[in-house]
Amino acid sequence: HTAGAKKGKSKDDFFRVNYAGTKYLLESAYEQNPNLKKFIYVSSMAVMGPSLDRKPICVGDRCEPITFYGESKLKGEEAVFEYGKKFPVVVLRPPAIYGPRDEDIFAAFKAVKSGIKPIFGFKKRYISMCYIKDLVDAIILSAKKKEANCNAYIIADKKIYTWEDIHQEIAKSLKVKSFTVKIPVGLVFTSAFLSELVARVTNKSTIFTRQKVKEMTQDWVCDVSKAEKGLGFKSKYDIKRGIAETAKRYEEQKWI
């Protein structure tokens, strides 16, 4: 189950899709096939909240989401594990996912292509990344491994990056020169507030919100050792390989 709401006009919008929608799917799956072999739920590292003191987050750590998105995905997980009493379930928690056709990280590619490497705030922010093909591999491993049943796993590249690292790799892949521009966090929050106002007036949802900025100005570093031991998962894509492949596809599709 990979569907989910990443943006919404209210808290209810997130919970209606990420919690209620997941619950309905579980109910329907059980009603139609009570002997379902396995239900795999793609959740998010957002359910756990940001890393403190840059310490990698482990699956067993306490979940403290800081956004409606994270809260709603956590409730979705609770629904999944409740149904784990009826058929096998697995929960996967990737951090930022990127790859061809992704629209969120694509914004960073567009900015770098225009000559700007935007950094929110003046502190270095450390994050873990997950290339889409690594996530697909983890889903397949979860489906095959009986030992994975009723477990949650963080899925990501083992390496830890800064936004400067990511922008630098994007610039290399696109073969462009770009300059780092550090934007005060207060200004970013103000811009996000204006984005929310426009969305409200036009009755549309936007991903650029104050909650999104709150996420982007934190450290999101994770520990994937449980997935390595329990699933036999091993990331094949660091950002050098993943960004190069993503940039190539963006250019082929004429996105940039």
Side-chain angles (χ1 to χ4, degrees):
H1 174 37
T2 62
K6 296 186 292 183
K7 58 183 180 180
K9 291 178 285 185
S10 67
K11 182 175 181 177
D12 287 344
D13 287 344
F14 288 97
F15 274 74
R16 185 169 57 253
V17 177
N18 298 336
Y19 168 55
T22 299
K23 186 178 178 182
Y24 294 150
L25 184 58
L26 287 159
E27 290 172 353
S28 297
Y30 183 68
E31 180 182 336
Q32 296 299 319
N33 182 12
N35 297 316
L36 190 71
K37 290 184 178 180
K38 192 166 296 187
F39 186 100
I40 300 171
Y41 179 56
V42 178
S43 184
S44 169
M45 189 178 162
V47 306
M48 306 195 71
S51 313
L52 300 177
D53 300 322
R54 299 174 190 165
K55 181 182 177 182
I57 295 175
C58 300
V59 171
D61 291 344
R62 184 177 178 181
C63 290
E64 296 180 321
I66 60 172
T67 61
F68 296 152
Y69 172 73
E71 291 175 18
S72 64
K73 294 294 282 188
L74 181 57
K75 285 293 290 183
E77 284 192 11
E78 291 173 3
V80 170
F81 283 123
E82 183 64 28
Y83 265 80
K85 301 170 185 176
K86 300 179 179 181
F87 48 61
V89 300
V90 180
V91 168
L92 303 180
R93 295 174 180 169
I97 304 169
Y98 71 106
R101 294 188 290 182
D102 175 75
E103 296 180 355
D104 294 346
I105 299 296
F106 175 59
F109 281 78
K110 287 197 297 183
V112 174
K113 180 75 172 180
S114 69
I116 298 173
K117 299 174 185 172
I119 300 293
F120 294 169
F122 298 96
K123 293 182 179 179
K124 279 189 179 293
R125 298 298 178 189
Y126 294 83
I127 60 174
S128 296
M129 301 288 287
C130 181
Y131 188 63
I132 184 62
K133 289 185 179 179
D134 279 338
L135 179 57
V136 171
D137 283 347
I139 291 172
I140 294 171
L141 288 169
S142 298
K144 292 180 176 180
K145 291 265 185 179
K146 185 177 181 180
E147 298 83 357
N149 296 353
C150 290
N151 274 295
Y153 299 95
I154 293 174
I155 305 299
D157 173 2
K158 282 186 71 170
K159 296 180 182 178
I160 296 171
Y161 305 101
T162 64
W163 277 106
E164 287 87 348
D165 296 331
I166 294 166
H167 288 147
Q168 185 176 348
E169 284 300 331
I170 293 174
K172 285 181 182 178
S173 295
L174 297 178
K175 298 181 176 60
V176 297
K177 289 184 178 180
S178 55
F179 302 91
T180 298
V181 177
K182 293 188 176 182
I183 308 169
V185 172
L187 180 58
V188 182
F189 270 104
T190 300
S191 299
F193 174 68
L194 294 174
S195 173
E196 291 174 36
L197 285 179
V198 171
R200 197 172 300 139
V201 170
T202 58
N203 198 31
K204 295 180 179 179
S205 57
T206 175
I207 199 165
F208 185 49
T209 64
R210 284 168 290 176
Q211 291 213 345
K212 189 63 177 178
V213 172
K214 190 177 180 181
E215 278 188 349
M216 294 181 69
T217 52
Q218 306 287 334
D219 292 325
W220 296 89
V221 181
C222 58
D223 182 338
V224 298
S225 58
K226 182 179 178 180
E228 289 178 329
K229 295 174 184 176
L231 295 178
F233 169 77
K234 186 175 182 180
S235 172
K236 299 182 179 72
Y237 287 82
D238 58 10
I239 61 169
K240 182 175 182 179
R241 184 182 180 191
I243 285 176
E245 191 168 290
T246 302
K248 182 181 178 182
R249 287 296 300 275
Y250 283 154
E251 290 175 330
E252 289 175 348
Q253 295 165 3
K254 302 190 185 304
W255 282 29
I256 51 177

